[in-house]
Amino acid sequence: MQNEPTSIFDQDFLKETFVRRRQLMPLALKIYVWFFLAFSVYGALSFIYINSTRWLNVAKYESFDKLLLISIFTGLAFPVLRFLSNLFIWLEKRKAVLFAVIITALHILYCCFSFVIIFNMFRRFDFMMWTVPLVLLEIPYLVLLLNIRKRWEQTGISGNEQEQHFKGLK
């Protein structure tokens, strides 16, 4: 048999040219994605656990108030959105990094704003001391996301897209 040169129409050649989006991610970003996946689940479950008795008491003795719904929604919004954005990154969705950048930037602004408001109301730092380490963790995460965003959206391909492409070639 002869050794034929690879053609651009061969599947092996195409497999070499595709770059998976996960391969574009540095190790630090992979660690951040897994950390924020776990941390958002923990945040949502702890929020529900801590506030469930208060919600039951309010619902039992008072009319079901719109303020209660707003507090539940706002308390669960960021953990759920953070979980979804990191899940989409891990699943290699095209606009996942942009979604994560928006959610992270909004969360940093929210933490800074609420920290200033609570400090001005109570003149104490201990109410929201957990926000400082969280914001300090989010800033390098945001920088990593911004560095990878253009390459992620333009050159990368997910494993699912790669499988679909090769099924179409057969």
Side-chain angles (χ1 to χ4, degrees):
M1 295 218 317
Q2 295 174 304
N3 287 337
E4 295 181 21
T6 58
S7 168
I8 60 171
F9 301 109
D10 290 341
Q11 284 185 351
D12 294 331
F13 180 80
L14 289 174
K15 283 183 181 179
E16 293 172 8
T17 60
F18 285 130
V19 177
R20 294 237 1 223
R21 290 191 185 112
R22 241 183 247 157
Q23 291 172 337
L24 297 174
M25 294 170 57
L27 179 62
L29 186 59
K30 290 177 184 177
I31 292 169
Y32 270 116
V33 166
W34 280 106
F35 172 76
F36 282 124
L37 277 170
F39 187 73
S40 60
V41 169
Y42 169 75
L45 292 177
S46 65
F47 179 78
I48 291 170
Y49 177 74
I50 290 169
N51 293 309
S52 61
T53 57
R54 184 175 60 97
W55 296 334
L56 291 174
N57 289 336
V58 168
K60 190 186 307 180
Y61 297 113
E62 299 175 11
S63 63
F64 200 68
D65 200 15
K66 291 179 186 177
L67 190 60
L68 179 65
L69 287 175
I70 291 172
S71 71
I72 293 170
F73 175 75
T74 56
L76 291 176
F78 277 120
V80 169
L81 290 173
R82 170 69 48 99
F83 178 81
L84 287 176
S85 66
N86 286 297
L87 180 67
F88 291 156
I89 287 174
W90 195 250
L91 295 176
E92 303 174 273
K93 300 296 181 188
R94 183 174 298 277
K95 297 292 181 183
V97 172
L98 179 63
F99 183 55
V101 165
I102 292 169
I103 296 303
T104 304
L106 286 175
H107 193 258
I108 290 172
L109 290 173
Y110 174 77
C111 286
C112 293
F113 180 72
S114 60
F115 189 79
V116 168
I117 295 295
I118 287 185
F119 177 71
N120 285 335
M121 287 175 66
F122 299 109
R123 298 282 181 212
R124 294 176 63 186
F125 281 114
D126 59 345
F127 279 126
M128 295 190 59
M129 226 27 178
W130 56 269
T131 59
V132 174
L134 185 60
V135 169
L136 291 177
L137 273 175
E138 287 180 328
I139 291 172
Y141 176 65
L142 184 63
V143 170
L144 285 169
L145 288 174
L146 289 173
N147 286 339
I148 200 173
R149 188 176 66 91
K150 287 209 187 275
R151 288 187 305 152
W152 180 277
E153 292 175 354
Q154 292 173 354
T155 61
I157 187 167
S158 70
N160 197 15
E161 290 171 346
Q162 189 175 7
E163 289 175 14
Q164 289 175 356
H165 179 75
F166 288 120
K167 284 181 184 175
L169 288 177
K170 290 182 179 178

